[in-house]
Amino acid sequence: MAGVLEGIKVLSMGQVVAVPAASSELADWGAEVIKLEPLFGDQTRGQVRLLGTSTGQINWPIQVLNRGSKGLAVDLKQEDGRKIVYKLIEECDVFLSNYERGTINKFGLDYTSLSQIKDR
């Protein structure tokens, strides 16, 4: 059965809980979600093992919080990495992030910069 958000494409660049949880909800409703991670991965990948919330080889918080998402690791410190993200922005309808404003601005992923790439 198609979800009400079928045809909507989401670029998700967030870590820990807030943005991954929101993204998984959008995926549950039919949106196509692409999760961007740094090359070393979402920081939750290592933290949950330290907190004892994963068992064996399965890191269930990462699985639950990122369900329905396609993953892509990108090095935003490299121009080629940023070009990949800008290309994805052109194709997406929604951009979600919970990175600090300084980080977003440093990589040209703030609203003002992105609205020059895509005006909606």
Side-chain angles (χ1 to χ4, degrees):
M1 185 169 97
V4 295
L5 295 180
E6 185 173 351
I8 300 296
K9 196 168 189 177
V10 177
L11 186 58
S12 174
M13 193 180 95
Q15 297 191 55
V16 188
V17 176
V19 167
S23 298
S24 65
E25 290 293 321
L26 295 173
D28 288 348
W29 285 92
E32 178 184 356
V33 177
I34 301 169
K35 177 184 171 78
L36 291 179
E37 294 188 43
L39 296 180
F40 54 83
D42 183 325
Q43 63 185 349
T44 308
R45 292 184 185 277
Q47 289 178 342
V48 293
R49 282 187 170 67
L50 295 174
L51 297 172
T53 56
S54 63
T55 57
Q57 298 298 314
I58 299 172
N59 185 331
W60 65 264
I62 284 289
Q63 299 297 319
V64 170
L65 290 172
N66 294 288
R67 71 185 181 278
S69 297
K70 299 174 183 176
L72 179 64
V74 176
D75 186 355
L76 292 174
K77 295 178 183 174
Q78 302 297 320
E79 185 177 345
D80 287 343
R82 291 188 300 276
K83 284 181 181 178
I84 291 168
V85 175
Y86 298 150
K87 179 66 177 158
L88 287 169
I89 289 292
E90 291 175 5
E91 300 171 6
C92 289
D93 303 293
V94 178
F95 176 67
L96 296 174
S97 178
N98 62 353
Y99 281 71
E100 294 178 5
R101 185 174 305 204
T103 301
I104 291 295
N105 292 350
K106 179 170 68 173
F107 296 122
L109 297 172
D110 55 283
Y111 177 80
T112 303
S113 299
L114 294 181
S115 65
Q116 293 175 13
I117 296 170
K118 186 162 189 157
D119 62 359
R120 62 175 187 91

